């Protein structure tokens, strides 16, 4: 019988069978097989369980009393585990030897050990020696590293935990706090910035690889030009029938700036600006990272004979990086003097404008139909102007619109239903790693409510002047110089008035 087996003093060492025994002991036998056996919850997993884990799928306990009883028992076990792990262990000055359990855990598992210890540092502040204690954490993979790490503990105390794939998943899937959301936002911003920088560098590479370049010598200088006779623009139904408009591309970028101003205004006043900005950066970074590969794989001839692509042959890596930084810092806009050729598959301008239009539509109330119509009309005009400028082939614009809109819809479909989808199919963590990392633990669909980023308190007296009390007329105003009358009752019931004058 499992009930007759004694349990280890440290709950973190329990196996799944021990967790089942403990559940039966606290009167939760009906959940023993579900939690411990079916979902393989051992001692470490048990100590990490929260009320969300118990009431959400796949456990889905519907009884509030049972959830509270289990959590109360887990709290007592956690206190016991902390007492055991924090008890000081005296060590000699030579390197300590780890327990057999820790050594076996290293040998029998591919996961590492998370070692936490206190490290003391001696500082000199204003001529006085100050000792500071810092809590350190390291992940070790072998016994030798474990011994070195344990020897670093200055006060003889250390905590060793087995960190596994399930533990990492559990930490990621915990409900988001404000600081966790901000950390995810910073990671998404860094990811997006690196993707833009990689795209800029690829644009520099493909610029010098555009088909149809010839080198001629004029007055002791080499001049590269695009030979449109040898490599003419590819046949295109739209470009062959729409005349070239020189100012169209600059107008397209102007429309993009207008949409960007509208979107960042909405984002600034939205209550869930942190979550929405994180989704925007993760989506833009993913789409532009994909654009790096499509540009690099295949080079197309220029779509218009008006394009003069000056090559930069035999440039050093430093010069290429400098040019890439110029493109990245100016957001790849021709209004800022950025000109490049070869970055045709697919259109980056169409991608950004389409994603911004989707975000404006998604994160504003549904009854703001005027803004939504204005946004998509500008989007369509921008796409037409890109084609009228003959800066991209029609297929570039079509693929950019399709990929950016599908990515937006797929990402938000997962973000709004991440808990149910991932719980029923663990492969979602592999298929959508960015969506899982950024969205699991988030609240899913957000309400479109708006507020100021900071609370500004305006004094009431600025808007409400202090009202003056109405002055009484001289007849109704009581005289301050009048005597105070004291009334005394005599034996006959008559009143005598005695006045006391105030000096």
């Amino acid at each position: 019988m499992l009930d007759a087996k004694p349990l280890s003093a440290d709950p973190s060492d329990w196996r799944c069978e021990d967790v089942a025994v403990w559940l039966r002991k606290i009167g939760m036998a009906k959940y023993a097989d579900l939690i411990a056996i079916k979902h393989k919850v051992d001692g470490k997993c048990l100590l990490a369980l929260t009320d969300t884990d118990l009431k959400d799928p796949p456990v889905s306990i519907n009884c509030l009393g049972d959830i509270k009883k289990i959590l109360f028992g887990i709290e007592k076990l956690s206190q016991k585990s902390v007492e055991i792990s924090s008890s000081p262990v005296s060590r000699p000055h030579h390197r300590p030897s780890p327990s057999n359990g820790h050594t076996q855990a290293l040998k029998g598992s591919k996961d590492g050990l998370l070692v936490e210890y206190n490290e003391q540092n001696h500082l000199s502040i204003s001529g006085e020696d100050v000792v500071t204690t810092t809590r350190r954490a390291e992940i070790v993979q072998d016994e030798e590293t474990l011994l070195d790490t344990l020897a670093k503990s200055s006060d003889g105390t250390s905590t060793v935990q087995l960190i596994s794939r399930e533990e990492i998943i559990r930490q990621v899937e915990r409900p988001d706090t404000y600081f966790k959301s901000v950390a995810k936002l910073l990671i998404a911003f860094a990811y997006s910035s690196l993707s833009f920088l990689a795209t800029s560098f690829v644009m520099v590479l493909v610029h010098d690889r555009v088909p149809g370049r010839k080198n001629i010598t004029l007055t002791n200088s080499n001049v590269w030009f695009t030979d449109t006779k040898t490599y003419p623009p590819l046949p295109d139904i739209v470009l062959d029938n729409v005349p070239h408009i020189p100012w169209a591309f600059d107008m397209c970028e102007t429309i993009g700036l207008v949409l960007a101003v509208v979107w960042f205004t909405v984002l600034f006043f939205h209550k869930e600006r942190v979550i929405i900005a994180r989704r925007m950066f993760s989506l833009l970074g993913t789409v532009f990272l994909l654009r790096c590969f499509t540009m690099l794989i295949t080079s197309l001839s220029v779509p218009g004979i008006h394009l003069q692509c000056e090559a930069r042959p035999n440039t050093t890596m430093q010069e290429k990086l400098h040019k890439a930084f110029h493109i990245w810092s100016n957001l790849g806009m021709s209004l800022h003097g950025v000109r490049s050729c070869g970055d045709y598959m697919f259109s980056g301008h169409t991608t950004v404008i389409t994603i911004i239009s989707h975000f404006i539509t998604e994160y504003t109330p549904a009854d703001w139909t005027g803004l939504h119509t204005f946004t998509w009309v500008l989007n369509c005009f921008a796409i037409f102007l890109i084609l009228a400028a003959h800066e991209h082939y029609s297929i570039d614009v079509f693929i950019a619109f399709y990929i950016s809109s599908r990515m937006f819809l797929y990402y938000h479909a997962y973000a709004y239903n991440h808990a149910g989808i991932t719980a029923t199919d663990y492969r979602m963590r592999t298929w959508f790693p960015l969506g899982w990392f950024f969205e699991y633990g988030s609240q899913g669909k957000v309400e479109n409510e708006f507020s100021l980023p900071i609370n500004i308190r305006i004094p009431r007296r600025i808007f409400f002047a202090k009202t003056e009390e109405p002055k009484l007329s001289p007849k109704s105003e009581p005289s301050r110089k009048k005597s105070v009358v004291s009334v005394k009752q005599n034996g006959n019931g008559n009143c005598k008035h005695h006045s006391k004058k105030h000096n």
Side-chain angles (χ1 to χ4, degrees):
M1 294 293 292
L2 289 174
D3 294 337
K5 185 177 180 179
L7 298 177
S8 173
D10 189 356
S12 60
D13 295 333
W14 288 359
R15 300 172 300 170
C16 298
E17 294 80 3
D18 299 329
V19 174
V21 172
W22 177 78
L23 287 171
R24 294 188 180 97
K25 284 186 176 181
I26 65 173
M28 296 289 108
K30 56 184 175 181
Y31 304 118
D33 292 337
L34 174 65
I35 296 177
I37 306 303
K38 182 178 179 180
H39 293 290
K40 299 179 181 179
V41 175
D42 56 7
K44 293 184 179 63
C45 297
L46 179 66
L47 295 176
L49 285 181
T50 63
D51 57 342
T52 304
D53 299 328
L54 295 175
K55 63 185 179 183
D56 288 351
V59 178
S60 301
I61 299 178
N62 298 323
C63 181
L64 180 60
D66 292 345
I67 293 176
K68 294 302 181 182
K69 289 179 182 178
I70 296 175
L71 292 176
F72 180 72
I74 293 175
E75 184 179 357
K76 296 174 67 175
L77 291 177
S78 300
Q79 296 174 356
K80 183 178 180 181
S81 178
V82 170
E83 292 175 358
I84 295 175
S85 62
S86 61
S87 59
V89 180
S90 59
R91 295 189 182 95
H93 293 289
H94 58 79
R95 292 197 314 177
S97 59
S99 64
N100 292 332
H102 297 150
T103 305
Q104 293 298 325
L106 278 175
K107 293 181 179 179
S109 174
K110 297 182 180 180
D111 301 316
L113 284 175
L114 175 63
V115 182
E116 296 181 352
Y117 59 92
N118 293 330
E119 182 182 60
Q120 290 185 351
N121 299 313
H122 296 272
L123 303 176
S124 179
I125 300 177
S126 301
E128 297 183 1
D129 293 334
V130 178
V131 179
T132 61
T133 302
T134 306
R135 191 68 173 173
R136 301 290 187 185
E138 294 183 14
I139 299 177
V140 299
Q141 300 290 341
D142 53 72
E143 184 177 354
E144 186 69 20
T145 309
L146 176 61
L147 293 173
D148 294 336
T149 305
L150 291 176
K152 295 178 182 178
S153 179
S154 58
D155 58 356
T157 62
S158 60
T159 304
V160 182
Q161 300 178 10
L162 180 65
I163 182 170
S164 61
R165 176 177 178 272
E166 289 74 16
E167 180 66 22
I168 297 175
I169 291 175
R170 190 178 300 108
Q171 293 296 329
V172 173
E173 295 182 353
R174 285 183 180 276
D176 283 358
T177 61
Y178 177 76
F179 294 102
K180 186 178 178 182
S181 298
V182 173
K184 286 184 177 181
L185 171 60
L186 297 178
I187 294 173
F189 177 76
Y191 166 68
S192 178
S193 300
L194 291 176
S195 296
F196 291 156
L197 188 59
T199 302
S200 302
F201 183 74
V202 172
M203 289 172 64
V204 175
L205 297 180
V206 300
H207 178 89
D208 299 330
R209 211 179 62 179
V210 174
R213 295 198 179 279
K214 283 189 175 181
N215 183 8
I216 61 174
T217 303
L218 294 175
T219 61
N220 299 327
S221 62
N222 292 330
V223 178
W224 289 76
F225 70 98
T226 304
D227 185 8
T228 56
K229 293 182 179 180
T230 306
Y231 294 93
L234 299 176
D236 190 287
I237 295 177
V238 177
L239 300 188
D240 294 343
N241 294 279
V242 175
H244 171 241
I245 303 176
W247 49 265
F249 201 64
D250 290 341
M251 183 59 65
C252 165
E253 292 188 345
T254 303
I255 291 176
L257 291 176
V258 171
L259 290 175
V261 170
V262 173
W263 163 238
F264 282 107
T265 303
V266 172
L267 180 64
F268 182 79
F269 290 103
H270 204 287
K271 289 186 68 175
E272 302 297 340
R273 58 187 67 87
V274 174
I275 297 176
I276 300 172
R278 179 188 71 212
R279 292 173 178 174
M280 177 187 66
F281 288 128
S282 60
L283 265 175
L284 288 174
T286 301
V287 175
F288 273 84
L289 197 60
L290 175 62
R291 186 170 180 257
C292 289
F293 293 99
T294 57
M295 288 190 301
L296 193 61
I297 291 173
T298 304
S299 295
L300 304 177
S301 59
V302 294
I305 60 175
H306 66 285
L307 294 173
Q308 299 296 326
C309 301
E310 297 180 359
R312 297 172 294 272
N314 303 322
T315 55
T316 62
M317 180 59 67
Q318 183 177 0
E319 292 173 339
K320 292 181 185 295
L321 292 175
H322 183 269
K323 185 62 178 178
F325 181 78
H326 171 72
I327 297 174
W328 177 77
S329 59
N330 290 281
L331 303 178
M333 299 179 65
S334 62
L335 291 175
H336 296 161
V338 175
R339 299 299 302 176
S340 63
C341 297
D343 54 326
Y344 300 130
M345 186 64 69
F346 45 91
S347 171
H349 286 70
T350 304
T351 297
V352 173
I353 292 173
T354 303
I355 288 181
I356 288 178
S357 300
H358 274 291
F359 269 98
I360 293 175
T361 307
E362 181 68 20
Y363 293 106
T364 52
D367 55 356
W368 290 18
T369 54
L371 177 61
H372 301 164
T373 304
F374 172 76
T375 298
W376 285 106
V377 167
L378 288 184
N379 193 338
C380 294
F381 267 111
I383 291 176
F384 170 77
L385 291 172
I386 292 173
L387 296 175
H390 289 204
E391 292 283 343
H392 279 281
Y393 290 104
S394 302
I395 188 65
D396 301 344
V397 175
F398 173 78
I399 291 178
F401 182 85
Y402 182 83
I403 289 178
S404 55
S405 59
R406 295 313 99 182
M407 286 291 293
F408 181 90
L409 297 176
Y410 294 156
Y411 187 94
H412 282 75
Y414 178 81
Y416 294 167
N417 304 279
H418 58 80
I421 294 176
T422 308
T424 56
D425 194 343
Y426 68 94
R427 294 174 296 178
M428 288 295 173
R429 301 187 182 100
T430 305
W431 292 348
F432 300 101
L434 286 177
W436 170 72
F437 175 78
F438 286 123
E439 297 302 327
Y440 211 106
S442 183
Q443 65 185 75
K445 188 174 179 62
V446 299
E447 296 293 334
N448 290 323
E449 299 177 351
F450 300 91
S451 65
L452 291 173
I454 56 176
N455 294 327
I456 301 177
R457 294 185 177 182
I458 302 176
R460 184 181 178 87
R461 63 176 176 271
I462 294 180
F463 295 103
F464 302 97
K466 187 175 181 181
T467 58
E468 297 182 356
E469 296 181 357
K471 296 182 178 180
L472 299 176
S473 60
K475 295 182 179 180
S476 59
E477 182 179 3
S479 177
R480 295 179 179 271
K481 299 179 180 179
K482 189 176 182 180
S483 302
V484 177
V485 180
S486 61
V487 180
K488 292 184 179 180
Q489 183 77 25
N490 57 17
N492 298 327
N494 297 326
C495 295
K496 292 184 178 179
H497 300 273
H498 303 275
S499 62
K500 295 182 180 180
K501 293 184 178 179
H502 293 273
N503 295 327

